Amino acid sequence: MTSPVIVVREAEDEDLAAAGDISVAAYAAAGQLEPDSPYTATLHDTAARAREAVLLVAERNGAVVGTVTICPPGSPFHEIGGPDELEFRFLAVALEAQGTGVAHALLAACAERAAAQGLSRFAICVRDNNHSAYSMYEHLGFTRMPDRDWSPRLGVDLLALTRGLGTASSS
């Protein structure tokens, strides 16, 4: 039996609530949201990401199961990307769909966008205590760029990672 196909596309208005809910649930499950964290509102505000960046969703069997935001230069969500890099943020997969290829499909869509724009690399920040995300990115060939690490507020330290478009692990 074949696995259901994952389709990645730009979010439409009817996808925004699901994308926000998935983001909050995934970040909370990963221990990335403290109670009453102001970041919860940021994660829920997918309308701003759709308006000021490029919000993609992954869909399986007609349901949104993941999301990622591409942050072009000039976007308020652009933080660490260089001139030849596609910066992405807010990668999140529905809890029930984790480990089923959704994150890989979202990253593949980001790579397609980057290649279409003539870019050669990815850039992403991961919170220093998000060991599972860091391990996933490391497994996919991302490397640390300590000179780009930064802290948006006290107690939140972000580690910068980059990768060439063609250097993903095949496993």
Side-chain angles (χ1 to χ4, degrees):
M1 183 173 165
T2 61
S3 298
V5 175
I6 301 167
V7 175
V8 178
R9 59 179 173 72
E10 282 196 40
E12 298 174 3
D13 288 345
E14 59 268 15
D15 302 318
L16 299 180
D21 291 345
I22 287 168
S23 298
V24 170
Y27 276 63
Q32 300 305 299
L33 287 177
E34 295 81 21
D36 300 320
S37 170
Y39 200 58
T40 301
T42 301
L43 291 171
H44 261 299
D45 192 2
T46 51
R49 295 202 305 270
R51 183 176 57 251
E52 310 220 20
V54 179
L55 180 67
L56 300 180
V57 293
E59 183 179 76
R60 180 185 282 149
N61 294 332
V64 174
V65 293
T67 183
V68 66
T69 302
I70 296 172
C71 309
S75 163
F77 299 105
H78 187 267
E79 297 171 338
I80 63 148
D84 66 336
E85 296 172 331
L86 181 132
E87 181 176 350
F88 65 95
R89 294 184 56 197
F90 308 106
L91 178 71
V93 176
L95 300 180
E96 68 277 5
Q98 291 183 359
T100 65
V102 175
H104 289 273
L106 289 164
L107 286 174
C110 288
E112 289 174 16
R113 298 270 180 142
Q117 296 173 35
L119 303 174
S120 62
R121 302 188 60 75
F122 284 125
I124 180 72
C125 282
V126 176
R127 194 161 173 194
D128 67 335
N129 66 354
N130 192 344
H131 305 294
S132 62
Y134 186 88
S135 293
M136 178 190 77
Y137 289 122
E138 188 175 53
H139 178 74
L140 292 172
F142 284 79
T143 58
R144 279 285 309 283
M145 298 297 288
D147 57 314
R148 296 195 214 174
D149 292 353
W150 69 291
S151 296
R153 65 182 174 87
L154 187 62
V156 177
D157 297 317
L158 300 176
L159 308 178
L161 304 167
T162 64
R163 186 194 94 189
L165 294 183
T167 58
S169 170
S170 59
S171 56

